[in-house]
Amino acid sequence: MSLFTNHNFSQAWHALTAQDPNHRDTASKDLAFWQQHAQGYDANASTPDRYAATLAAIRAYVRPTDTLLDVGAGSGRFAIPLANDVQHITALDHAAPMLDLLQHKQASQQISNISIDQTTWESANVAQHDVVLAAWSLYRVPDILAAMHKLIATTRRTLIIVTSPGNAPDDTPMHLYFYGALWQAGVFPEIKIAWEQPTGEPAPQPVALVVWERQ
Ligand SMILES: C[S@@+](CC[C@H](N)C(=O)[O-])C[C@H]1O[C@@H](n2cnc3c(N)ncnc32)[C@H](O)[C@@H]1O
């Protein structure tokens, strides 16, 4: 009998996401979504008061000599500013409209140390990187436990998963599911909370960083 019979966080995550009527459970559904929403997402997400504290928290884990893999890099909200902090970034994403926005920013800001890898995480074939970042991008993988094993194997030093710790109106503590899936994959992460204060919001908004450092 499996050691994890009563602690199957991966299965719990799949059961949870399956309940969501908006769950984009296939790559094609997700690609169709980003075809429609890439510009809108970028305009909203790239407001600094929505990510500045999270970026600062990520920066505390990176070094100038690092290679960094950004899984689900999207339009580059983190990859673009982090390019100044590390030696090289691989921006991996399966959605061309998002990567087009990232490439446009890269060109206009004359950033030359970001490589694009247009693929899904589940089919990606990537070398180890010092730091692996997955920010808001693990919502539709077909097998979350396999995705976690792959993230761990690809991490040379530090793995950072950024997600919601249960903000209104969807109060799901997603960080705990990801923590559990990482634990199930055999590692012991830590959880850090960054606080964003978006303009117009009455209270600061928590963002969770689930961080595993290879010993
Ligand atoms: C919500 S956006 C987040 C983008 C960026 N990390 C950020 O924080 O602004 C999610 C991104 O993850 C990408 N994505 C989702 N699932 C993916 C997968 N399995 N493989 C590769 N990219 C994926 C989507 O195409 C999208 O660009």
Side-chain angles (χ1 to χ4, degrees), residues 24 27 30-31 34 41 45 70-78 92-96 98-99 119-122 133-142 162:
R24 302 193 294 277
D30 195 48
L31 288 173
W34 291 115
Y41 175 85
D70 189 352
V71 176
S75 53
R77 177 160 64 146
F78 294 111
L92 183 152
D93 202 291
H94 75 145
M98 294 293 260
L99 290 174
T119 185
T120 61
W121 178 238
E122 47 277 25
L133 170 69
W136 311 105
S137 58
L138 296 177
Y139 53 85
R140 62 140 290 268
V141 284
V162 178

Side-chain angles (χ1 to χ4, degrees), residues 72-125:
S75 53
R77 177 160 64 146
F78 294 111
I80 292 289
L82 287 170
N84 290 320
D85 300 296
V86 299
Q87 190 183 95
H88 188 266
I89 293 184
T90 307
L92 183 152
D93 202 291
H94 75 145
M98 294 293 260
L99 290 174
D100 287 348
L101 292 166
L102 190 158
Q103 277 178 303
H104 182 73
K105 293 178 196 172
Q106 191 182 355
S108 65
Q109 296 178 37
Q110 297 178 320
I111 294 169
S112 58
N113 63 341
I114 300 180
S115 309
I116 304 289
D117 189 355
Q118 189 185 338
T119 185
T120 61
W121 178 238
E122 47 277 25
S123 60
N125 183 10

